[in-house]
């Protein structure tokens, strides 16, 4: 019971009484004996039973609206995910209310509060860059409010998730650089508190260890996703006495200013430093040189996110939907930025 929200079915099973008796006892119905009511209330408190208040509020008048909270719609990944989410939701007869956090933890909290007031029936959330405490999201899960996290999530939140295997994808990207002759490989990571970034750094380190290459902590630098900070961190990385001859980037939108900084420093890509990144944004194919990148199945991820939310929306308190984690496949799209062997 501790690993998933407690339901009236759990209480009924523990007390060996019917679900309907538990339901009536929780509502204080007079036909239920006082001793039974007290027993139900005591156990409900012990087990931290949280009735789905949102479902009760909407029982008579459903809004058929889903709340979506994203870091920033100027990021290609999130705008593409929203397109897929909205299309899938519309096909199921739901509309979507969208909020951006602009990478702010406090704004994320405010977004949830505002969407609750708008009586959305469920939430789809990707955590902000600055979010390092999760009580505001965990509260949704405890109250059995339908919730699906995607892309950016936290391990401690008991919710359905749609993600990719970031560690395996980063390992694959790093091995690609090794196969193309890179011996000193760096990683331009995201903020240190971001789980997704840390998983990718783990994959990078895994590939180096697997191929017997040294792991140099000075070759891992963190940026905050802004262009200015990315350029500064890239120049720091490439000013090392023995600079990397290959770099894995946390995302394409980080890779663009990073590659600009490299070119301003007089470095040739991929001759002097090979580059591979994540997200496979459309412009990556037209960048010069074209950017090698890990592609995620965004359309399918959006569809799956809505499917998992609909399962929860269609569930009942007597028969709740289980928490599910869907790990989607990725693909390395190889282009000129990482093909050092092709230019030697």
């Amino acid at each position: 019971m501790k690993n998933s929200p407690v339901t009236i079915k759990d209480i009924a099973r523990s007390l060996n009484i019917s679900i309907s008796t538990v339901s009536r006892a929780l509502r204080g119905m007079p036909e239920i004996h006082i001793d039974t009511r007290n027993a139900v209330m005591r156990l409900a408190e012990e087990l931290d039973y949280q009735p789905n208040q949102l479902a009760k509020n909407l029982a008579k008048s459903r809004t058929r609206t889903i709340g979506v909270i994203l870091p920033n719609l100027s990021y290609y990944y999130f705008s593409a995910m929203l397109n897929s989410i909205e299309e899938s939701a519309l096909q199921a007869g739901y509309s979507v209310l969208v909020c951006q956090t602009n990478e702010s933890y406090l704004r994320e909290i405010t977004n949830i509060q505002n969407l609750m007031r708008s009586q959305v029936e469920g939430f789809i959330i990707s955590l902000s860059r600055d979010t390092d405490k999760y009580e505001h999201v965990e509260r949704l899960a405890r109250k059995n409010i339908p919730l699906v996290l995607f892309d950016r999530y936290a391990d401690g939140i008991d919710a359905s998730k749609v993600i990719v295997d970031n560690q395996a994808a980063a390992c694959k990207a790093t091995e690609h650089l090794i196969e193309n002759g890179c011996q000193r490989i760096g990683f331009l990571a995201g903020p240190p508190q971001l789980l997704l970034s840390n998983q990718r750094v783990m994959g990078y380190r895994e590939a180096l260890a697997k191929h017997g290459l040294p792991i140099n902590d000075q070759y891992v630098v963190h940026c905050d996703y802004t262009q200015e900070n990315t350029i500064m961190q890239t120049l720091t990385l490439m000013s090392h006495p023995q600079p990397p001859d290959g770099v894995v980037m946390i995302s394409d939108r980080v890779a663009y200013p990073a590659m600009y900084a490299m070119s301003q420093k007089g470095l040739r890509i991929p001759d002097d430093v090979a580059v591979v990144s994540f997200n496979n944004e459309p412009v990556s194919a037209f960048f010069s040189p074209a950017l090698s990148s890990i592609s995620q199945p965004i359309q399918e991820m959006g569809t799956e996110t809505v499917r998992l939310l609909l399962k929860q929306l269609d569930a009942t308190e007597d028969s709740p939907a289980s928490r599910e984690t869907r790990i989607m496949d990725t693909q390395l799209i190889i282009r000129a930025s990482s093909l050092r062997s092709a230019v030697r």
Side-chain angles (χ1 to χ4, degrees), residues 218-234:
Q218 293 183 339
Y219 283 170
V220 178
V221 296
H222 297 268
C223 71
D224 65 4
Y225 287 117
T226 64
Q227 292 184 356
E228 297 80 5
N229 185 257
T230 297
I231 289 172
M232 181 179 72
Q233 297 298 338
T234 301

Side-chain angles (χ1 to χ4, degrees), residues 170-289:
C171 183
K172 177 167 48 179
T174 306
E175 286 190 313
H176 168 67
L177 293 180
I178 295 170
E179 291 163 0
N180 277 269
C182 297
Q183 295 292 306
R184 302 183 309 277
I185 300 174
F187 198 107
L188 184 52
Q193 73 272 15
L194 194 63
L195 177 62
L196 172 151
S197 177
N198 294 335
Q199 290 171 334
R200 292 178 184 177
V201 172
M202 288 172 60
Y204 151 82
R205 293 179 185 275
E206 178 187 338
L208 296 182
K210 179 180 177 182
H211 290 269
L213 294 179
I215 297 174
N216 188 338
D217 289 339
Q218 293 183 339
Y219 283 170
V220 178
V221 296
H222 297 268
C223 71
D224 65 4
Y225 287 117
T226 64
Q227 292 184 356
E228 297 80 5
N229 185 257
T230 297
I231 289 172
M232 181 179 72
Q233 297 298 338
T234 301
L235 293 176
T236 298
L237 177 63
M238 301 312 296
S239 295
H240 193 277
Q242 284 191 304
D245 56 6
V247 180
V248 181
M249 309 280 187
I250 185 66
S251 70
D252 291 357
R253 65 183 302 272
V254 163
Y256 304 145
M259 291 169 73
Y260 168 81
M262 290 173 177
S263 66
Q264 292 299 297
K265 195 173 173 62
L267 297 170
R268 299 167 300 163
I269 303 171
D271 305 55
D272 300 318
V273 55
V275 175
V276 64
S277 182
F278 281 79
N279 290 348
N280 192 36
E281 298 190 9
V283 73
S284 296
F286 304 101
F287 210 71
S288 183

Side-chain angles (χ1 to χ4, degrees), residues 23-325:
S23 179
R24 291 197 298 272
L26 289 169
R27 286 181 284 142
M29 302 299 285
E31 66 268 24
I32 304 301
H33 193 277
I34 185 64
D35 291 341
T36 302
R37 285 210 307 270
N38 289 340
V40 169
M41 298 304 291
R42 278 196 303 271
L43 185 58
E45 184 175 355
E46 289 173 13
L47 298 177
D48 192 25
Y49 168 72
Q50 298 284 344
N52 190 336
Q53 295 295 338
L54 189 59
K56 289 184 176 181
N57 291 342
L58 297 172
K60 295 182 179 178
S61 178
R62 296 186 64 178
T63 64
R64 300 197 70 82
T65 303
I66 295 169
V68 178
I69 300 177
L70 307 167
N72 197 313
L73 281 173
S74 69
Y75 303 175
Y76 164 76
Y77 174 85
F78 292 118
S79 62
M81 272 293 292
L82 178 59
N83 285 337
S84 178
I85 289 169
E86 189 167 30
E87 181 64 28
S88 297
L90 286 173
Q91 290 179 7
Y94 284 81
S95 58
V96 172
L97 283 180
V98 185
C99 294
Q100 301 179 74
T101 62
N102 284 335
E103 302 288 18
S104 165
Y105 162 69
L106 293 178
R107 189 162 172 176
E108 189 170 274
I109 294 174
T110 300
N111 287 341
I112 289 177
Q113 293 170 343
N114 289 340
L115 289 172
M116 287 290 287
R117 281 193 287 269
S118 297
Q119 291 192 319
V120 297
E121 296 192 32
F123 286 84
I124 293 173
I125 300 175
S126 186
L127 300 175
S128 82
R129 174 195 64 200
D130 295 341
T131 298
D132 57 2
K133 295 183 286 291
Y134 311 108
E135 171 59 25
H136 57 301
V137 182
E138 292 169 344
R139 188 179 300 117
L140 297 177
R142 285 200 305 271
K143 291 185 175 182
N144 295 335
I145 293 174
L147 169 67
V148 179
L149 302 176
F150 76 93
D151 190 51
R152 300 185 193 174
Y153 67 101
D155 281 330
I157 302 175
D158 183 23
S160 291
K161 305 174 187 70
V162 178
I163 56 177
V164 298
D165 189 334
N166 286 293
Q167 183 170 338
C171 183
K172 177 167 48 179
T174 306
E175 286 190 313
H176 168 67
L177 293 180
I178 295 170
E179 291 163 0
N180 277 269
C182 297
Q183 295 292 306
R184 302 183 309 277
I185 300 174
F187 198 107
L188 184 52
Q193 73 272 15
L194 194 63
L195 177 62
L196 172 151
S197 177
N198 294 335
Q199 290 171 334
R200 292 178 184 177
V201 172
M202 288 172 60
Y204 151 82
R205 293 179 185 275
E206 178 187 338
L208 296 182
K210 179 180 177 182
H211 290 269
L213 294 179
I215 297 174
N216 188 338
D217 289 339
Q218 293 183 339
Y219 283 170
V220 178
V221 296
H222 297 268
C223 71
D224 65 4
Y225 287 117
T226 64
Q227 292 184 356
E228 297 80 5
N229 185 257
T230 297
I231 289 172
M232 181 179 72
Q233 297 298 338
T234 301
L235 293 176
T236 298
L237 177 63
M238 301 312 296
S239 295
H240 193 277
Q242 284 191 304
D245 56 6
V247 180
V248 181
M249 309 280 187
I250 185 66
S251 70
D252 291 357
R253 65 183 302 272
V254 163
Y256 304 145
M259 291 169 73
Y260 168 81
M262 290 173 177
S263 66
Q264 292 299 297
K265 195 173 173 62
L267 297 170
R268 299 167 300 163
I269 303 171
D271 305 55
D272 300 318
V273 55
V275 175
V276 64
S277 182
F278 281 79
N279 290 348
N280 192 36
E281 298 190 9
V283 73
S284 296
F286 304 101
F287 210 71
S288 183
L291 178 60
S292 296
S293 190
I294 294 285
S295 176
Q296 302 182 55
I298 295 177
Q299 181 66 41
E300 292 83 357
M301 290 180 74
T303 299
E304 186 65 13
T305 299
V306 173
R307 187 188 72 81
L308 292 182
L309 191 71
L310 292 175
K311 282 186 67 175
Q312 297 176 51
L313 290 168
D314 292 338
T316 65
E317 192 170 284
D318 296 345
S319 217
S322 59
R323 306 296 198 248
E324 296 181 49
T325 296

